[in-house]
């Protein structure tokens, strides 16, 4: 009977380990999915922000991107 009890204990331990590993994999999968979803949400928000800024102006026709450039830096002329 002793060998049978040892075998039962080993089988139960293997089942517990397998269940724990499944839970661990599920947790990792959930964190990965949440991270990817957050990255996609951030990308959509960034796109929406860029799209909203493209039409903005400060009243004199200068776009938001032109206002953001420091005054001392001028673009060089492009060759024809």
């Amino acid at each position: 009977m002793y060998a049978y009890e040892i075998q039962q204990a080993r089988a139960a331990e293997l089942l517990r380990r397998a269940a724990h590993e499944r839970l661990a994999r599920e947790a990792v999968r959930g964190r990965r999915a949440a991270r990817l979803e957050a990255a996609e949400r951030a990308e959509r928000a960034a796109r929406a922000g860029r799209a909203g800024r493209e039409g903005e102006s400060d009243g004199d026709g200068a776009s938001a991107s032109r206002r953001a450039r420091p005054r001392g830096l001028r673009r060089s002329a492009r060759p024809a």
Side-chain angles (χ1 to χ4, degrees), residues 6-77:
I6 291 175
Q7 191 272 336
Q8 290 294 319
R10 286 181 181 164
E13 177 61 25
L14 286 175
L15 289 173
R16 279 192 296 273
R17 283 186 188 178
H20 177 72
E21 288 176 10
R22 276 193 300 274
L23 286 173
R25 282 194 304 270
E26 184 178 335
V28 168
R29 194 176 306 125
R31 286 193 303 261
R32 183 180 300 129
R35 190 171 53 242
L36 290 174
E37 183 180 336
E40 289 172 0
R41 248 191 336 263
E43 179 64 26
R44 282 195 303 267
R47 284 186 194 150
R50 284 193 301 262
R53 284 193 308 261
E54 287 175 356
E56 290 180 4
S57 68
D58 60 359
D60 64 353
S63 68
S65 62
R66 297 232 5 185
R67 285 190 315 248
R69 187 179 313 116
R71 291 181 182 254
L73 298 176
R74 302 278 183 224
R75 286 188 181 169
S76 62

